[in-house]
Amino acid sequence: MDEDQEMERFGMENDFDDGQWIGGEFYYRNRKEKRAQTKDDVLYGIFASGDSDSDYEGRGLGSSRKRKKDLSKKQDLTKPVNFVSTGSVMPNQEIDTDLKEDLKEMEEDDDRPPVLGAGGSSSGLGFGSKTTHGDGDGDVDSFLPSAFGKKIKEGALLRREKEKEKSMLAKKSSQAGKREPEAGDVGTFEKHTKGIGMKLLEKMGYKGGGLGKNEQGITAPIEAKLRPKNMGMGFNDYKETKVPALQESEAKSTPLPAQPLESHKREKPWLKQAPKKKFYITAEELLAKKQEQGFDQVQKVFDMRGPQVRVLTNLENLNAEEKARENDIPMPELQHNMKLIVDLAELDIQKIDRDLRNERETVVSLQKEKEKLQAQEVHQRKQLENMEVIMNELDRIGEESKEGTLTLDSLVNSFLDLQQRYADDYKLCNLSSIACSYALPLFIRVFQGWDPLQNPTHGLEIVSSWKNLLHDNSLGFSDMASPYSQLFMEVVFPAVRIAGTNTWQARDPEPMLRFLDSWEKLLPPVVLHTILDNIVLPKLSAAVDSWDPRRETIPIHSWIHPWLPLLGQKLETCYHTIRCRLESVLHAWHPSDMSAYYILSPWKTVFDPSSWEKLMVRFIVPKLLAVMHEFQVNPANQNLDQFYWVRTWASAIPIHHMLPLMDIFFNKWQEVLYHWLCSNPNFEEVTKWYLGWKELLPPELLANDHIRYRLNVGLDMMNQATEGMEVVQPGLRENISYLRALEKRQFETQKKAAAQAQQHASANLSGGLQGDGKESGSELSLKEVVEFHAQQNGLLFKPKPGRIHDGHQIYGFGSISIIIDSLNQKVMAQTEDKWSFVSLEQLLELHNRYILKRR
C-alpha cells in the first residue's frame, strides 16, 4: 500500500521517534512534531484532501509551507483540463496569457504528476512545447491544429472575455460610487427580470427622469449607513441615511478619490489616521485651568473589574484603555504610559502650587499676627503709662486720707477726672470700688444722726454726684454687689431702718412716702425692695392685725392704698384679715349708717371681683332689699331717705344685683303714676314729678337698658293720658314693641345730646384761659385748668393712687405733689414738710427748683 493510504494505529508509538518498551516502561528519543490543524481539517475532517498527510510526512516543514501557499491561491475550477502540446509554435504567434500563467504554475510545482495538455513534457500527449511564441500574423488554426485543442482555445477565449467584462463592471461601479443613475438608465435592471417594471411606469405617465409629478423623487433606493459603535441615536446630528440627490451634488462638487491599490490596503492602521496637532500647555495655564474648575475634594474609587484592584481619584479616564482598543489607537500601552507621566507631572505641578499657596497664606497670617502683636504692645505700653498715672493719683488720695484732709468734693473730682481720661482702665481696675472705700467713712460722717422721715432731702446732692461714679452696669456687678448699692446699704439704709422701726407709724404713711418720693431716682432697686420688705410691710401687717373697725376713726384704706403701687400683690396677705374684720361688723350694720359705704367702696377695685361680689350679696344686698320693700312712693308727701340709702350703693353693688332692688321701686312708682293719671291730674305736676325721679337716678343706673325701659313705660302712660287714650295698666305687655322702639329713639337722642355737649366743652377749652388760672366764660373745672397748664409746659399730671390728704386726692405735677380743692377753687402744693396754697406760676417755679436741687 501507498504511504498516504496506510492506516494509522491508535497508540503512543507514532508520537515518538525510536520509542521502545523496556521493563514495562516506554522510552523514546524525541517527540514527533505534529501538523497544526487547518480550517479544512476542522470543516471536512477525514473527508479533506488525501495528500495532506503524505505532504506532511514526505516533504517536512518546507513542503508544508509550500502546500499552504498553493492552497492560499484562488483556483479557477471552471477551466478545462490543460494538456501539454508536443507540436511547434510559429514565431509570429503568442501563447495566451492565461495559458502562460498556467504553464508557469505547473512548471513550478515539481512534485505534481504529469498530466495531459499544453505545457507537458515531450514524452506526454499534447501539441505545444515550452518554447515561447511570437506575435506572428500567421494562421490562427496552426496554434492548436487538433480539434480538441481548438475547443480548449475557444473555452480560454470565452473565459477571458467574461473576466474582462467583470473587471470592467467592477471598475465602472467603483468609479461611479453611489451616484444616482441618469434618467436614461432607469429600467436597465430589466435585463435581469421579465421587463414588467418599466411598462408599469410608462402606463402611469413616466417619461424618464425623477419620479413624481414634478420629477422631484429619487430613482435609487435610500441606503442606510452603519452607526458607529456605542453612538446613541441622534448624537451630534448624525445622519443614518444618504439621499442619492444630495450625494450626487456632493460628488459633483468634490472629485472622488482614486481607489487605493491592493498593496496599500495592508498598510498599518496607525498610518491611516491623520496626524493630530500637538498641543502644549504651560504650568501657569494648567494652574489657571484647575483654578477655574475648582479644587474639589479628592475621593478614592476602587476599580475591581479587572484582575487587579485599581485605586482611582479621577473617573475621567476610567475606560481609556477599552476606548483605545475599540478605536484601534496605535500603541495603546505606550500612550497609556505617556498619559500617566503627564498626569504625574500635572499632580507634581499642582502640589508645588498648593504648597506655594500654603506658604503664602502662612506668610500673610504671620504678618497679621505680627501686626496684632505690635498693636497689643502699643496698647499695653499705653495702658502701663495710664496705670502709672492712676497709681500716682491713688497714692496722693491715700496720703490725704491718712492726713485727714480728704473731702467728698475733692475725692469725687479726682475720680471723675480719672473716669473721663481713662475710661477703659477705670473699668479694668475697678476704681469704683476703690472710690467707694475712700468715700464710705466720709459719707458716714455726713449722714450721722440723720432722720430720713423729718428731713428726707438731706444729702441728695452729694449722693446724686456719686451715682454715675459708682454705679456702672457694664462692670458686670449685680445690683447688690455694685459699690453704689453697698454705699446705700452702709450709709442710708441704717438710718431708714432706725427711723422706720422706732418713729414711723403705719397709719401715717406720708413721712415714709415723702422720703421714698424724694429718693426715688437715687435708690437702687435692691435697696428699695429691702426697705419695703423689711420695714414697711411688717409695719403694715402688724397694723392690720390690730385694726378694729368699731374703734378706728381713720379709714383703713387711707393708710393701706398708698402702698399699692409699691407693694402690689404683696398686700394680698392683709386682704383676708381686712375682709374678716369687715364681715364681723356688717352683721349689725343698718343701711342708714353711711360709714359702711365710705369704708367698703374704696376696696371694690382692690379685692378680686368674686370676693367683692360675695361680700355685697351676703351683707349689703339683703338689707337694702328690706329697706326698698319698706319704701313708699307718695307724691303728696315724699320721704327720700330710704331711696338715698339704696341709691348710694349703686356704684358699689354689681348692676345685676342692683336691678332687683330697682324693680321693687319701679313697681311702686308705676302703680302710683297709674292711679294719678286716672284721676285727671295736672300734667305739669306729673311731668315735674317724672323728671324729678329721673334726676335722682345715678348715671350707673340710667346707662342700663332695663332701667330706661321702666322709665319709658311711665312716659308712655303719661303720653296716653295727655292724648285722651286709655292708660295701660302697669304690667300689661300689649305695647311692648312700641315701648321698645320709643326707648331706642330716646336713647339715640340722648347720645346726640352728649356728643354735642362734648364738642361744646372742647370749644370752651380751645378758647383759652385767664392769667390767674380761672376760666373766662367757660365751664372748665379747676382740675382741667391745672391739667391744661401742665400740658402747655410739657409736664406730667397724674393722680397718685391711694394718696389722700384731708380727703383730697394727691396729684403729681411734674416732680411735686399737689391737691386740688374744687369747692374752694384752690391749689395746694407740698413744700418741705407742709402744704401751702400756690398759683399756677408758683407750681412751675417749684418744679424747676426741685429739678435744680436734684442735679
Side-chain angles (χ1 to χ4, degrees), residues 155-166:
L157 293 176
L158 181 60
R159 187 168 57 253
R160 181 168 52 181
E161 290 178 1
K162 289 182 179 180
E163 290 179 358
K164 287 182 179 180
E165 184 179 355
K166 288 181 181 179

Side-chain angles (χ1 to χ4, degrees), residues 16 50 186 188 248 301 451 493 619 663 718 720 751:
F16 304 95
V186 177
T188 54
E248 182 181 2
V301 178
D451 187 359
F493 180 73
F619 298 100
D663 284 338
M718 295 168 58
Q720 291 175 0
K751 286 179 63 177

Side-chain angles (χ1 to χ4, degrees), residues 354-388:
R354 183 167 56 252
D355 296 341
L356 180 60
R357 284 189 286 104
N358 291 337
E359 295 296 333
R360 290 175 180 173
E361 292 176 358
T362 304
V363 170
V364 173
S365 62
L366 292 176
Q367 185 67 25
K368 291 182 179 179
E369 187 69 21
K370 178 182 177 182
E371 295 175 358
K372 181 179 178 181
L373 294 175
Q374 291 177 351
Q376 290 181 355
E377 180 186 3
V378 173
H379 176 70
Q380 291 179 359
R381 187 182 295 110
K382 183 179 179 180
Q383 193 175 21
L384 183 60
E385 296 175 358
N386 297 341
M387 291 295 179
E388 294 178 355

Side-chain angles (χ1 to χ4, degrees), residues 30-45:
N30 54 7
R31 185 187 295 271
K32 292 183 180 180
E33 185 177 357
K34 292 186 176 181
R35 177 177 62 86
Q37 198 175 25
T38 62
K39 289 184 178 181
D40 293 340
D41 296 337
V42 175
L43 291 175
Y44 304 110

Side-chain angles (χ1 to χ4, degrees), residues 258-267:
Q259 291 290 333
L261 298 177
E262 186 68 23
S263 60
H264 293 287
K265 292 183 180 179
R266 298 181 181 179
E267 292 180 355

Side-chain angles (χ1 to χ4, degrees), residues 833-851:
D833 56 347
K834 62 181 180 178
W835 293 87
S836 58
F837 296 101
V838 293
S839 63
L840 296 180
E841 290 78 5
Q842 291 175 346
L843 284 177
L844 191 60
E845 292 177 0
L846 290 174
H847 169 74
N848 294 332
R849 190 187 309 166
Y850 185 82
I851 294 298

